[in-house]
Amino acid sequence: MLLWRSDVSVRKGKSADALALADVFRLSWQGAYRGIIPHVQLDNIVRRRGPQWWGKALRNGDRTLVLEFQDKIAGYVTFGPARRRGAQHGEIYELYLSPVYQGLGLGELLFEAARGQLDHLNLDGLVVWALADNTQAGDFYWRRGGRPIGETTEQIGSARLKKVAYAWS
């Protein structure tokens, strides 16, 4: 177990978590991106990231931590070396909580647990990408000390969406 606070724990994800992680993904993405990502594309993304996808990702050793609240999986974070070629820093790829668990400080626990794991990889700094229209995510990373260092766009269906990179040294 990586972190524990009364009825909250953060631990490494395992194959048996696939169904719960698919549910967290579905609920959090529908809550965060409804009205940002076109409906059809959002539904397709959620459908592709079902239990089978999660089971395979976890069996393949993806760096995934899950947060349990009162013995139920409430959220997850995925992380590793930055995906940009030549970068020598860590990256948090995804950090999501089911909407019912948001606003309780649990996201901060996941974030810090991932940062601790990235420190063990001896990577220099941290970056996280978030959609600019997802102001809740941007505010979260800003409050944790992340500062915008770049942006790009991504085409999803008919929408051209701006993404912002937040960084920590």
Side-chain angles (χ1 to χ4, degrees), residues 21-41:
L21 289 172
D23 196 45
V24 169
F25 183 84
R26 178 181 57 81
L27 293 170
S28 61
W29 271 61
Q30 288 172 341
Y33 301 121
R34 184 175 288 125
I36 297 174
I37 296 176
H39 180 73
V40 170
Q41 282 74 29

Side-chain angles (χ1 to χ4, degrees), residues 70-105:
Q70 297 178 343
D71 298 322
K72 291 184 181 181
I73 293 178
Y76 71 92
V77 61
T78 61
F79 58 93
R83 295 174 281 193
R84 195 180 83 210
R85 189 191 330 241
Q88 298 297 312
H89 48 267
E91 182 174 349
I92 291 179
Y93 310 134
E94 296 183 2
L95 190 156
Y96 291 102
L97 289 168
S98 289
V100 70
Y101 299 104
Q102 294 174 8
L104 304 174

Side-chain angles (χ1 to χ4, degrees), residues 106-153:
L106 301 176
E108 184 174 355
L109 295 176
L110 271 175
F111 180 81
E112 292 302 329
R115 283 186 75 170
Q117 293 296 299
L118 286 166
D119 285 346
H120 294 301
L121 299 176
N122 295 320
L123 298 167
D124 184 28
L126 170 66
V127 68
V128 177
W129 287 89
L131 289 179
D133 289 339
N134 184 351
T135 56
Q136 186 176 0
D139 291 346
F140 175 83
Y141 295 124
W142 183 270
R143 288 190 312 272
R144 310 271 98 50
R147 296 298 176 256
I149 60 159
E151 55 185 58
T152 189
T153 58

